Amino acid sequence: MSKKIGLVMGSDSDLPVVEKAIATLEEYGVPYEVHVYSAHRTPVPAAEFAKNARANGFGAIIGFAGMAAHLAGALAANTTLPVVGVPVKSTHLDGMDALLSTVQMPSGIPVATVAINGASNAALLCIQMLAIEDKELADKLDAKRAASAETVLEKNRKVEEKYNK
Ligand code: RP5
C-alpha cells in the first residue's frame, strides 16, 4: 500500500482548488487525507498534524493557503517529510500575496512551491516522490505522459494540416 498524501488547507474556502489535487490523486489511486487546519486560526492542530504525519503513514504533505499564506511553511517547520505549497488566489492581489508568502521560505525549512492554484501539479509532484520507490506508480506516470504527448501531437497534426499548404 502506497503512503498517504496529506492535503491541508487553511480554510474550507480553498476547497475548489484542493479538489483539483484530489482528482489527480484519485486518477493515480494514491491514498490521501483532507484537513482544514489554519496556520493562524488553528495553529496547534496544524502543527500536531505535521508532527505526527510520518508516524501516521504519510509520504508527503500539500499545504494550500491564500493571503498571508504561512500554512505550508508552518507544516514544514514541524516535519521532515516533503511539503509542497499551493498558493491560493483569493480576492486581492491575484494570488501574488500567497505566492510570495509560500515560496520565500528562509534557508533550512524548504517548501516546494508550485504555481498559484497549481493543485494538480502539487499532487503530481507528490506522486512522483512516491514513485521513486514504487515501480507501478512510475509506470502509470510514464503511460500518462505518453498519452498526453499523443494528444498534443494530434492537435499539431490538425493545425499543420489546416495552415501548412
Ligand atoms: C487563508 O485565508 C485561507 O487559506 C484562505 O485562502 C484565506 C481566506 O480564508 P477565509 O476567510 O475564506 O476563511 O488562511
Side-chain angles (χ1 to χ4, degrees):
M1 183 62 160
S2 174
K3 290 205 182 285
K4 291 181 285 186
I5 303 300
L7 307 180
V8 184
M9 70 200 94
S11 165
D12 64 347
S13 66
D14 300 322
L15 254 178
V17 175
V18 177
E19 278 168 354
K20 291 181 201 153
I22 292 174
T24 301
L25 294 170
E26 290 274 353
E27 199 180 315
Y28 283 87
V30 169
Y32 58 87
E33 275 184 27
V34 188
H35 301 276
V36 180
Y37 296 136
S38 164
H40 310 282
R41 294 164 176 161
T42 58
V44 174
E48 287 302 314
F49 175 82
K51 276 181 198 162
N52 297 321
R54 188 183 293 275
N56 286 337
F58 291 93
I61 298 173
I62 308 176
F64 303 79
M67 301 184 76
H70 298 136
L71 180 59
L75 294 168
N78 285 291
T79 182
T80 54
L81 289 176
V83 174
V84 177
V86 181
V88 174
K89 180 178 170 177
S90 51
T91 33
H92 304 293
L93 303 177
D94 279 340
M96 283 302 291
D97 45 357
L99 173 62
L100 296 178
S101 302
T102 306
V103 77
Q104 285 291 78
M105 284 299 291
S107 182
I109 309 291
V111 168
T113 305
V114 296
I116 296 168
N117 286 1
S120 182
N121 265 1
L124 276 175
L125 194 52
C126 291
I127 293 165
Q128 289 179 195
M129 289 171 197
L130 297 183
I132 292 170
E133 300 287 344
D134 185 332
K135 170 90 171 66
E136 200 181 321
L137 213 44
D139 289 345
K140 273 191 204 171
L141 285 162
D142 283 339
K144 192 82 186 152
R145 284 252 180 127
S148 160
E150 193 41 56
T151 306
V152 177
L153 289 171
E154 181 53 29
K155 288 178 182 170
N156 175 55
R157 276 191 284 276
K158 284 183 183 155
V159 169
E160 286 181 348
E161 197 179 293
K162 183 170 176 184
Y163 294 103
N164 300 348
K165 307 282 181 199

